Amino acid sequence: MSDVFICYSRTDATIAERVAVELRAQGWSVFLDVQTHVGKVWQNEIETELHQARAVVVLWSSTSRKSGDVLDEARYARDEGKLFPALIEQVAFPIGFGGIQAANLISWDGEEDHPGLIQLLTSLRLHLNVGDFPKTLGAMGDKTSMQPTIVQAPIARIPARQMFRDKLKSGGKGPLMVVIPPGRFMMGS
């Protein structure tokens, strides 16, 4: 099972691979259809991965918006509430997708600070980590701890927006952390 399934047209394979690299750098597992195993039925493996993925990133281009497979995968993801569209070319959205906010990766050339990439990563981060919040809050047992808290952020030694993972005493990796700029912020925002 992958965290993210990337849905794209074969003609957009280069950008799909670049997106996969960025998502993997966030610590997420990513499935591209070129990862199907030898001896497996391609369509069955795609369907299994699509159903098990926690999020689906669809890359809209002139060819992907006309692909029956891409449209089927995107409709499934939309209906399941796990669709994260990104424009990689200036195209009209396919019917049924026009009202869904999409990240703009049209001018993205691999830079980490591209606004469209940041928008996509932020949305995925909120979606993929959403399951952790209720358990944490519920485990606190005290309703006042669920109220928003204003916290003074310490001055960071790592540049703002940089991501890192601390090493755990057990030898594993800690949760993905994002450095926020110094100042005030609302806990949980």
Side-chain angles (χ1 to χ4, degrees), residues 39-162:
K40 298 286 184 179
V41 176
W42 180 82
Q43 191 61 38
N44 293 346
E45 198 154 341
I46 295 297
E47 188 174 321
T48 299
E49 289 290 338
L50 180 63
H51 289 289
Q52 292 179 350
R54 296 172 55 211
V56 176
V57 171
V58 62
L59 302 177
W60 290 129
S61 69
S62 58
T63 54
S64 70
R65 69 177 306 280
K66 296 175 188 172
S67 165
D69 289 336
V70 171
L71 289 169
D72 286 346
E73 292 165 2
R75 281 187 198 103
Y76 169 79
R78 178 197 61 199
D79 295 347
E80 292 295 312
K82 58 184 182 178
L83 177 66
F84 294 84
L87 286 168
I88 58 172
E89 291 179 5
Q90 189 65 48
V91 295
F93 292 105
I95 293 173
F97 296 96
I100 302 170
Q101 181 66 33
N104 184 339
L105 297 179
I106 294 170
S107 64
W108 179 57
D109 197 27
E111 62 273 19
E112 293 178 6
D113 61 345
H114 187 278
L117 178 65
I118 292 170
Q119 183 184 25
L120 178 63
L121 294 177
T122 300
S123 297
L124 283 168
R125 196 171 296 115
L126 290 170
H127 177 78
L128 293 171
N129 296 332
V130 76
D132 298 338
F133 297 122
K135 292 177 195 166
T136 304
L137 293 174
M140 291 179 187
D142 148 16
K143 290 184 181 186
T144 59
S145 64
M146 294 174 67
Q147 299 301 318
T149 306
I150 302 292
V151 177
Q152 183 70 31
I155 295 175
R157 291 183 211 132
I158 304 171
R161 289 196 208 131
Q162 184 168 338

